[in-house]
Amino acid sequence: MNCETCQLKELELDPTEIRDVLRCVVHTIFFHRALGLVRPKDVDCELFEITYVQCGDAELEKKIDEKLEHFVAWSEKHPNRKSQVCLSFYEVKSKQSSWFGSKVERHYWEQWIVNVNVHPINPPRSSFLNSREKVSEETSTRRSALETSVREILFQIIKFANEKQEHIPPITNTEVVSFPYEISTPSSSESQFGWNKDAIKRILQSDHPYSLS
């Protein structure tokens, strides 16, 4: 099965921005790939003048928040590290392995890679900064650039979701998210690339592996 991959533009974040920005990005991906009966819910970003749409499913929201908390915890222990959050959709199929029985395999058909670079907030030093106004101005300029990046990523998601549809398997249920999915974040068993070992194994087994760079 062909596995389509979307590499999203890298996000430069400070620790206080991770939750709000990644919620916006991940929920937008899910909304455009839910494919089931959704109850759209508009949500305003806390940091920007951006409104995105969630699927209106409490269980999905809980799962996303849990994974993002894992990512926040990891980033606190690994400052100044580039990493990725990967959202994968797959089908579960039984494969006849031997006369002893069959085994279940995951067939991945789409993967979204959210590239993230988290920078700790450096406290201002009076020898270089003359006033709080200068700190505020620098923060405002950086935040404005981040908002532009987030908007570009949202358009990138929409464009990919609209253009890449032929690989999507037939829908056989009416659940909000019609296919099984997983959200991968770095863990204590990570490799030098910032991925955990299970994610590396999955990538290598995929018919269409994506770049780790």
Side-chain angles (χ1 to χ4, degrees):
M1 177 183 294
N2 181 39
C3 181
E4 294 285 352
T5 302
C6 183
Q7 285 267 8
L8 298 175
K9 176 181 177 181
E10 184 175 275
L11 288 162
E12 300 277 347
L13 305 175
D14 72 41
T16 65
E17 298 163 339
I18 296 174
R19 293 178 181 86
D20 193 40
V21 171
L22 292 188
R23 278 196 193 105
C24 175
V25 172
V26 174
H27 275 288
T28 299
I29 295 171
F30 268 108
F31 179 73
H32 286 278
R33 280 297 185 251
L35 305 178
L37 299 176
V38 301
R39 295 181 175 85
K41 182 174 73 174
D42 289 346
V43 178
D44 296 326
C45 287
E46 298 175 4
L47 302 174
F48 318 112
E49 293 296 322
I50 292 178
T51 299
Y52 62 96
V53 185
Q54 294 184 359
C55 296
D57 182 81
E59 191 62 32
L60 177 60
E61 293 173 23
K62 179 181 177 182
K63 180 69 174 293
I64 292 174
D65 283 344
E66 288 176 350
K67 289 295 184 177
L68 295 187
E69 288 303 320
H70 292 166
F71 184 80
V72 170
W74 178 88
S75 65
E76 290 174 349
K77 297 178 181 178
H78 302 82
N80 292 315
R81 285 281 300 276
K82 291 186 178 183
S83 190
Q84 297 167 325
V85 175
C86 178
L87 169 57
S88 305
F89 294 98
Y90 60 91
E91 284 187 293
V92 176
K93 293 186 177 181
S94 295
K95 181 179 180 180
Q96 190 70 29
S97 57
S98 68
W99 62 276
F100 290 105
S102 60
K103 63 179 181 178
V104 174
E105 289 188 339
R106 291 183 176 185
H107 292 260
Y108 293 87
W109 53 270
E110 189 168 273
Q111 294 172 320
W112 300 77
I113 298 102
V114 186
N115 297 289
V116 183
N117 192 3
V118 180
H119 300 284
I121 301 175
N122 296 318
R125 292 177 288 180
S126 58
S127 58
F128 294 98
L129 298 175
N130 299 321
S131 66
R132 292 183 178 179
E133 286 75 13
K134 186 173 182 180
V135 177
S136 177
E137 181 181 348
E138 291 180 351
T139 301
S140 178
T141 299
R142 199 193 67 80
R143 189 64 60 78
S144 178
L146 177 58
E147 179 175 354
T148 298
S149 294
V150 173
R151 291 184 184 277
E152 290 175 353
I153 286 174
L154 297 185
F155 282 118
Q156 185 181 356
I157 293 170
I158 294 170
K159 184 174 185 292
F160 182 91
N162 288 337
E163 292 181 353
K164 302 290 187 177
Q165 297 187 14
E166 294 183 358
H167 64 290
I168 300 176
I171 300 172
T172 59
N173 60 68
T174 58
E175 297 179 12
V176 173
V177 182
S178 303
F179 298 95
Y181 64 88
E182 63 185 24
I183 305 171
S184 301
T185 61
S187 70
S188 57
S189 60
E190 72 190 271
S191 74
Q192 62 178 326
F193 297 102
W195 286 89
N196 59 48
K197 294 178 181 178
D198 290 339
I200 293 289
K201 182 179 179 181
R202 184 178 68 250
I203 293 167
L204 295 176
Q205 292 177 339
S206 171
D207 293 333
H208 187 76
Y210 47 79
S211 172
L212 292 172
S213 59

